[in-house]
Amino acid sequence: MEDTVRAFEEGNAEAIAFVGETLGPLFLQDPKTGDAGAALQALADLEVVAAAAEWPFAEEAEVLSDLGLMKEGLAPGIDNEDLVWEYRRLFIGPGPKPMPPWGSVYLDRECVVFGTSTLALRAWMREQGIERLADDKTPEDHLGLMLVLMAWIARNRPEVLDDYLRLHLLTWSEHFLDGLAKAAQHPFYEGLARLTNASLEGIRRDRALEVVYPRFYR
């Protein structure tokens, strides 16, 4: 019985890691200058119906729609200027970003980067002995970094995964991703936001997590 439970937990953790590793870099990497070219090409070549049937946690119909949007957005090419400029409009600037990808922008009263929620995540990581997975120039609560960290924790520190999700990621991810889906002017990023949101909500349900949602200041 214990072996069965352990195998189930390992399979669940692997599925969570898959979600984080697949989606996280797409929020972090510029399609033209970043390292996501192989991932973008794989999505462009994807058999959407087959992939939707295998995608974990989210409902198949939702995944089918979201992956369809992403593939539609990649049809002109993975380095198409519309895709590149939409990424930069959403996540880089220099103009005002419609939905900045950092949690503290929504959770901190001052709506600032490196706010109190960022410091709380940093302190939690330090308490758990978890090191940053990237350089120290990007706040730890960037949605892309947090998805990649979710994958790392699922594989390496599964005993603290629920606390990470409940206290740090799921508190703001739905708010951000809902807004991002509405703000996106390109099907790839609308689909990415929707698929990420559906996947994280599915993980929350699967793990029966009770999340206390804070006040959002933006």
Side-chain angles (χ1 to χ4, degrees), residues 40 49 57 92 203 210:
L40 290 170
V49 174
F57 303 113
I92 303 297
I203 291 170
E210 294 187 7

Side-chain angles (χ1 to χ4, degrees), residues 120-130 157:
L121 173 59
R122 182 180 295 175
W124 181 85
M125 291 171 64
R126 187 164 52 246
E127 289 169 3
Q128 302 301 329
I130 297 173
R157 295 290 305 281

Side-chain angles (χ1 to χ4, degrees), residues 13 20-21 25 28 69 76-77 88 90 93-94 96 99 118 146 160 166 169 173 186 194 201 204 206 210 214:
E21 289 173 346
L28 290 165
L69 282 171
R88 295 173 184 176
L90 291 171
M99 292 296 293
T118 315
M146 293 192 74
V160 301
R166 182 175 57 84
L169 177 53
S173 58
H186 191 284
R194 294 185 183 282
E201 174 59 16
R204 186 199 64 76
D206 185 77
E210 294 187 7

